[in-house]
Amino acid sequence: MPFQAKKMGKIPPYMFAEFARKKAEMTKAGIDVIDLGIGDPDLPTPDHIVDKLIEEIRKPANSKYPSFIGHIEFRKAVANFYKRQFNVDLDPETEVLALIGSKEGLAHIVPTLIDPGDTVLIPDPGYPPYRMATYLAEGIVRYMPLKEGNQYKPIFNDIPEDVLAASKLMFLNYPGNPTAATVDLSFFKEAVSFARSHQIVIAHDSAYNMVTFQGYQAPSILQVEGAKDITVEFGSLSKTYSMTGYRIGYVVGNKEIIKSLSVYKNNTDTGQFTPIQLAAAYALNGNQGCVHKYNDIYQERMAAMVEGLQAIDIFVDPPKGSFFIWAKTPKGYTSNEFAQSVLEQTGVIITPGNAFGPSGEGYFRISLSLPNDRLFEAIERMKKNITLTRK
Ligand SMILES: *Cc1c(COP(=O)(O)O)cnc(C)c1O
């Protein structure tokens, strides 16, 4: 008897298992493997946030069950952040919900909004949890291909009518993982108007909303007039403040959707530890100097990597957001072949683009969340040792 439900069988085997095996093998053989596959900040959580966490942990009242919709101080801090950054008004009581990391909410919004057999529109390539959550909710995954020629934006008019009629939910994500693509408000206007006319909820994942460069500021989809009728936006402290391990994020926007998700969550989890919520509120309300400092570091790493890639004839424009570089594999290589070849020739792990969906084939992703010395070492090795044998 298989100890799993049939829907579990839809989850593909761990995509990086083969790489993990190779990495272990090479490390054992004494090779210094550099992993540019992991999207997890190396930079530390800023001290003032850590200090606040410790202060709050010492208060006995904070060891009790947290508020499952989120501490009001955290929800107010998110609302203040939206006002300050986007000039969007949010009611902290009804339009903000705390999440145990945004991934938790992105996964739970699916069964909250769809029934088995309903369709979910998913960016391809995209962050894997959108499609995995859809499989687990027994929904139908319909990919929206993101093409370089359209700046990695979906072409809404390409989605067939019958698919639209069956669709309840659409995911979007800018600045994007893995593509590092950014958009301006006019794209969100188009998306909201399309979603309204087809009655499809938009879940916008803005995990990288503050990880931006070159003077670019990422818009919020809630800046579009009427967006709250049909849209929710997910945000996270993880990338902005190097707090991935803290597990704290939020969802904002349409209050009925937020209400439904909070009912789902109230019967699934009991919210994040109060001191973490209060440390996160402190991060959002406090001095944002740390964010600028970290973005400067990422921007510098990006410039170095873009230049390193140029040296091996791979050309990309420096991204304006996220900490990824998304680039085409050299001529004659599939995503997997190129990643294998880079690993064998340099001991550097990069992520094959097809891990993020079928349209990622022919691309690879590099993460810049690695200390400068390791990153520069990886660049040097790539410059020196990569020989492209196929043409
Ligand atoms: C990292 C990431 C998240 C998850 O963030 P958490 O808040 O740590 O769960 C969500 N979406 C994208 C696209 C990410 O890259």
Side-chain angles (χ1 to χ4, degrees):
M1 154 192 188
F3 289 113
Q4 65 172 27
K6 286 195 196 77
K7 59 180 177 258
M8 292 286 293
K10 294 246 182 135
I11 302 287
Y14 183 54
M15 298 170 295
F16 304 118
E18 177 59 20
F19 273 91
R21 197 189 56 73
K22 255 225 156 96
K23 182 180 176 181
E25 199 181 283
M26 289 173 83
T27 308
K28 209 170 154 201
I31 297 163
D32 172 27
V33 177
I34 304 179
D35 195 342
L36 301 182
I38 304 167
D40 191 349
D42 62 297
L43 302 168
T45 308
D47 279 338
H48 66 284
I49 303 172
V50 177
D51 290 343
K52 177 69 175 171
L53 174 67
I54 293 168
E55 182 191 320
E56 294 298 335
I57 285 179
R58 293 207 178 277
K59 298 179 185 164
N62 284 344
S63 62
K64 297 202 174 288
Y65 280 125
S67 150
F68 73 86
I69 50 173
H71 197 290
I72 188 63
E73 290 308 318
F74 175 69
R75 286 181 288 139
K76 276 187 189 161
V78 172
N80 288 342
F81 163 68
Y82 262 72
K83 185 67 189 170
R84 181 176 82 224
Q85 183 67 22
F86 305 117
N87 197 25
V88 166
D89 290 301
L90 292 173
D91 174 7
E93 301 275 356
T94 58
E95 294 177 326
V96 182
L97 177 67
L99 300 171
I100 307 173
S102 63
K103 180 180 176 182
E104 178 264 299
L106 290 161
H108 285 145
I109 191 77
V110 180
T112 298
L113 294 179
I114 75 156
D115 289 305
D118 287 339
T119 295
V120 181
L121 299 168
I122 291 174
D124 164 33
Y127 183 56
Y130 312 143
R131 71 185 127 110
M132 302 309 170
T134 304
Y135 292 140
L136 291 178
E138 299 180 75
I140 309 224
V141 168
R142 289 303 289 245
Y143 287 127
M144 300 184 291
L146 309 183
K147 299 290 188 194
E148 192 174 346
N150 198 42
Q151 295 84 46
Y152 301 109
K153 291 177 290 191
I155 300 174
F156 297 123
N157 290 330
D158 282 356
I159 307 170
E161 274 306 320
D162 59 321
V163 172
L164 289 174
S167 298
K168 294 274 168 67
L169 173 64
M170 170 194 291
F171 282 101
L172 294 173
N173 167 222
Y174 296 97
N177 176 8
T179 64
T182 50
V183 293
D184 54 28
L185 197 57
S186 67
F187 170 74
F188 284 149
K189 280 190 185 139
E190 185 194 336
V192 168
S193 121
F194 183 80
R196 281 165 68 123
S197 65
H198 295 278
Q199 286 302 295
I200 299 169
V201 169
I202 295 181
H204 179 238
D205 177 357
S206 69
Y208 298 92
N209 56 5
M210 295 305 289
V211 186
T212 57
F213 323 105
Q214 306 171 44
Y216 170 76
Q217 291 202 326
S220 160
I221 197 165
L222 298 183
Q223 286 171 302
V224 177
E225 195 160 340
K228 274 189 201 169
D229 294 346
I230 197 93
T231 303
V232 284
E233 187 160 68
F234 291 80
S236 174
L237 285 275
S238 286
K239 313 297 162 55
T240 311
Y241 303 101
S242 286
M243 288 170 69
T244 47
Y246 285 62
R247 312 311 304 131
I248 183 76
Y250 54 83
V251 56
V252 297
N254 182 280
K255 50 177 128 173
E256 274 93 326
I257 301 172
I258 285 181
K259 177 90 191 151
S260 301
L261 180 58
S262 80
V263 170
Y264 194 99
K265 279 174 57 57
N266 191 20
N267 291 286
T268 311
D269 67 62
T270 313
Q272 184 50 279
F273 187 36
T274 301
I276 292 179
Q277 295 194 44
L278 294 172
Y282 192 69
L284 288 168
N285 287 332
N287 187 318
Q288 302 299 302
C290 55
V291 178
H292 300 132
K293 187 172 134 197
Y294 285 6
N295 285 347
D296 285 347
I297 294 172
Y298 289 131
Q299 187 173 344
E300 186 194 325
R301 291 176 183 178
M302 255 170 192
M305 183 56 78
V306 166
E307 195 205 288
L309 290 172
Q310 259 169 33
I312 55 169
D313 283 337
I314 294 172
F315 299 93
V316 282
D317 291 328
K320 294 203 184 81
S322 85
F323 44 58
F324 301 112
I325 285 179
W326 180 251
K328 256 200 188 87
T329 56
K331 215 167 168 228
Y333 288 86
T334 66
S335 291
N336 279 323
E337 285 165 355
F338 186 61
Q340 285 290 348
S341 161
V342 170
L343 180 58
E344 278 155 22
Q345 294 180 14
T346 66
V348 172
I349 295 182
I350 61 173
T351 311
N354 58 346
F356 303 98
S359 297
E361 181 49 54
Y363 290 82
F364 64 94
R365 191 193 75 174
I366 283 176
S367 166
L368 301 167
S369 56
L370 220 70
N372 280 4
D373 58 334
R374 297 297 282 158
L375 197 78
F376 294 150
E377 161 78 19
I379 294 170
E380 279 317 303
R381 286 194 207 170
M382 286 162 80
K383 277 189 190 168
K384 260 194 234 131
N385 301 336
I386 291 193
T387 44
L388 302 173
T389 51
R390 300 176 203 214
K391 277 277 165 301

